[in-house]
């Protein structure tokens, strides 16, 4: 049975003091319903992807479903740290495949900017192993700084190559009206920005944000009925890796990403070279370089060369994060996976405007949760 994305919506990411979590969720939900011309009555269930620890409101699905008019239909929450939105999407896929629901609204939503950066970093740090790591002060920038140092040591990757990722993603962010930052940055500005966790500087890091995105997922029959342009989820891959980095064989690769990628390519019956456009989890610039390698877009250790040669720009081998990526859109943790899916659908429908990859027929999304404890890779086709 084919499973398709029939409708999509995307709110503006950023500091959204104007909206509660349920209001953030309603924006893309109503846009997605309008997109495919349906109402709440046509939807069987809601799955919310979110990381609960940032919200004052507990049990978010309850308050969201009431606000968006989805009572008395069932609602669920999925949590897989920064990949919570992709976990929601995969859950919807499974429910529909099992024949339990025909049409499901998947809403990735996160409100985090009411907290200060130190509060956010401390909460995030606890997605690292609390017993052996975060109790001793590890933070996400700290973990990814370790990955970056190791990558530099093993493969000669440079800080300038990492900065090239930020230059590209901020460049494409200027073409995305939903992004938190819509301004280009120069090499000089990146290299002289404040050090967050050496070698990572501020512009190597994604920014925190509030935001939400929504997907209406349906079985083949319903997807064809409610959408003129259903986009098919042809390959889904999901995997986990040891929670503690101390238990990983290597920290210059994310094993869950390698595994999830293999599953998705096999199921979609295609290879990395067949991908026309990709959204990968660039929570830090080094993460995008590792993603190129983990997904097989280039050989292991050649991520730096790949960006230097502009192979991930439109016109290169595989355009990556042409919506600006997390770097430019901001990273409202639970919403990111659904935001990536939104971009894949936009590209495959040919609706991506100034950032459109001409003739895109196969798109990939790669959403890492935590420091690689979870990864979801999806492949979409027209
Ligand atoms: C890098 C970081 C520490 C900076 O936070 P901060 O020092 O508190 O910065 P502020 O929020 O005070 O912002 C200061 C300025 O820099 C900008 N800014 C903040 N973070 C930025 C980023 N990552 N990239 C570019 N600009 C950024 C802000 O918009 C603000 O600009 P303004 O003064 O023109 O409004 C923060 O963005 C961060 O924690 N990022 C990592 C998030 C993370 O780990 N996510 C999970 C990954 S899996």
């Amino acid at each position: 049975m084919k499973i398709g994305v029939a409708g999509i919506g995307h709110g503006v990411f950023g500091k959204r003091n104007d909206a509660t979590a349920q209001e953030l969720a309603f924006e893309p939900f109503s846009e997605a319903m309008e997109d495919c011309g349906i109402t709440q009555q046509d939807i069987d269930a809601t799955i919310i992807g979110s990381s609960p620890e940032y919200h004052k409101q507990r049990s978010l699905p309850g308050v969201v479903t009431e606000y968006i008019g989805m009572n008395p239909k069932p609602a669920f929450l999925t949590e897989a740290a920064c990949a919570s939105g992709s976990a929601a999407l995969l859950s919807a896929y499974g429910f529909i495949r099992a024949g339990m629901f025909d049409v499901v609204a998947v809403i990735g939503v996160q409100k985090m900017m009411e907290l200060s950066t130190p509060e956010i970093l401390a909460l995030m740090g606890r997605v690292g192993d609390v017993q052996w790591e975060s109790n001793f002060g590890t933070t996400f920038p700290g973990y990814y700084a370790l990955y970056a140092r190791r990558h530099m040591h093993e493969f000669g990757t440079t800080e300038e190559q990492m900065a090239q990722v930020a230059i590209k993603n901020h460049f494409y962010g200027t073409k995305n009206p939903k992004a938190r930052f819509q301004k280009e940055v120069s090499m000089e500005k990146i290299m002289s920005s404040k050090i967050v966790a050496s070698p990572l500087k501020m512009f190597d890091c994604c920014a925190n944000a509030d935001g939400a995105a929504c997907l209406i997922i349906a079985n083949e029959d319903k997807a064809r009925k409610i959408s003129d342009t259903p986009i098919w989820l042809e390959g889904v891959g999901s995997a986990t890796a040891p929670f503690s980095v101390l238990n990983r064989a290597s920290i210059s690769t994310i094993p869950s990403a390698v595994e999830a990628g293999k599953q998705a390519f096999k199921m979609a019956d295609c290879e990395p070279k067949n991908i026309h456009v990709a959204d990968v989890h660039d929570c830090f610039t080094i993460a995008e370089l590792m993603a190129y390698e983990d997904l097989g877009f280039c050989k292991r250790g050649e991520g730096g060369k790949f960006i230097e040669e502009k192979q991930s720009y439109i016109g290169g081998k595989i355009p990556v994060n042409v919506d600006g990526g997390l770097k430019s859109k901001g990273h409202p943790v639970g919403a990111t996976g659904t935001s990536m899916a939104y971009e894949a659908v936009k590209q495959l429908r040919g609706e991506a405007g100034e950032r459109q990859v001409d003739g895109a027929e196969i798109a990939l999304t790669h959403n890492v949760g935590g420091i690689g404890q979870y990864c979801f890779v999806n492949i979409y086709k027209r």
Side-chain angles (χ1 to χ4, degrees):
M1 180 208 286
K2 269 174 168 317
I3 311 279
V5 187
I8 50 170
H10 200 301
V12 173
F13 283 7
K15 237 182 213 175
R16 294 293 309 271
N17 296 337
D18 59 314
T20 60
Q22 56 270 37
E23 287 167 341
L24 286 176
F26 184 68
E27 279 175 24
F29 175 67
S30 56
E31 190 183 316
M33 285 194 297
E34 200 176 316
D35 181 46
C36 56
I38 62 170
T39 68
Q40 285 89 339
Q41 284 176 343
D42 304 304
I43 303 170
D44 302 319
T46 313
I47 307 186
I48 305 287
S50 194
S51 253
E53 64 269 25
Y54 306 101
H55 294 135
K56 276 194 193 134
Q57 177 66 59
R58 308 305 295 176
S59 204
L60 206 55
V63 74
V64 169
T65 36
E66 180 189 347
Y67 188 79
I68 68 173
M70 278 299 289
N71 292 149
K73 312 277 181 75
F76 311 90
L77 174 72
T78 59
E79 197 277 337
C82 314
S84 296
S86 291
L89 174 55
L90 186 62
S91 305
Y93 181 94
F95 274 123
I96 295 171
R97 251 207 112 149
M100 195 160 170
F101 303 129
D102 294 337
V103 182
V104 176
V106 173
I107 308 175
V109 55
Q110 201 74 56
K111 182 144 183 77
M112 55 205 298
M113 300 301 281
E114 281 171 336
L115 301 172
S116 67
T117 302
E119 285 170 321
I120 294 172
L121 285 174
L123 282 171
M124 254 174 208
R126 283 163 51 195
V127 177
D129 182 272
V130 168
Q131 188 177 6
W132 298 111
E133 293 167 14
S134 68
N135 267 355
F136 299 97
T138 45
T139 62
F140 268 46
Y143 279 117
Y144 275 88
L146 284 179
Y147 294 177
R149 281 275 172 230
R150 186 68 205 175
H151 210 273
M152 292 163 83
H153 169 74
E154 277 181 47
F155 307 116
T157 304
T158 64
E159 292 183 42
E160 285 78 6
Q161 287 172 332
M162 291 187 250
Q164 294 280 358
V165 172
I167 292 177
K168 171 178 69 69
N169 294 354
H170 277 276
F171 167 70
Y172 285 120
T174 64
K175 302 174 190 311
N176 184 352
K178 307 286 173 74
R180 176 171 174 186
F181 303 119
Q182 296 174 34
K183 214 169 155 193
E184 286 192 52
V185 289
S186 65
M187 176 63 82
E188 198 189 352
K189 186 162 182 185
I190 297 167
M191 295 302 284
S192 62
S193 62
K194 68 180 174 188
I195 290 176
V196 176
S198 178
L200 303 179
K201 295 162 281 297
M202 186 163 90
F203 281 96
D204 287 297
C205 308
C206 68
N208 302 310
D210 303 322
C214 175
L215 316 160
I216 305 289
I217 310 295
N219 65 24
E220 183 169 3
D221 188 37
K222 289 274 174 149
R224 287 193 197 281
K225 273 193 192 125
I226 62 181
S227 169
D228 297 334
T229 49
I231 298 300
W232 306 108
L233 252 166
E234 298 270 344
V236 293
S238 59
T240 56
F243 207 80
S244 165
V245 284
L246 299 172
N247 296 328
R248 305 254 180 101
S250 162
I251 55 166
S252 59
T253 173
I254 293 189
S256 55
V258 175
E259 173 58 27
K262 273 188 200 151
Q263 292 172 14
F265 283 118
K266 187 169 177 212
M267 187 172 162
D269 194 21
C270 68
E271 295 176 44
K273 65 172 192 240
N274 303 127
I275 301 298
H276 296 140
V277 59
D279 252 54
V280 308
H281 199 93
D282 60 323
C283 50
F284 298 93
T285 51
I286 184 64
E288 181 165 321
L289 300 185
M290 288 160 78
Y292 300 157
E293 299 171 14
D294 290 341
L295 292 166
F297 292 177
C298 66
K299 288 196 190 124
R300 184 107 195 269
E302 292 188 358
K305 193 167 144 232
F306 198 73
I307 182 72
E308 216 166 60
E309 290 174 351
K310 294 195 173 346
Q311 300 293 6
S312 47
Y313 276 77
I314 294 177
K317 278 186 184 152
I318 304 177
V320 176
N321 289 337
V322 299
D323 59 352
L326 282 59
K327 183 74 224 30
S328 172
K329 287 187 296 184
H331 179 30
V333 179
T336 286
T338 46
S339 168
M340 290 175 165
Y342 170 93
E343 180 64 11
V345 171
K346 277 277 189 206
Q347 288 287 344
L348 298 185
R349 284 182 182 176
E351 292 175 354
E354 275 190 82
R355 58 181 196 272
Q356 180 65 46
V357 175
D358 282 341
E361 291 194 354
I362 307 181
L364 176 146
T365 59
H366 154 281
N367 187 194
V368 174
I371 46 171
Q373 290 101 334
Y374 318 96
C375 186
F376 296 82
V377 175
N378 293 331
I379 295 174
Y380 301 80
K381 294 188 186 169
R382 276 168 65 103

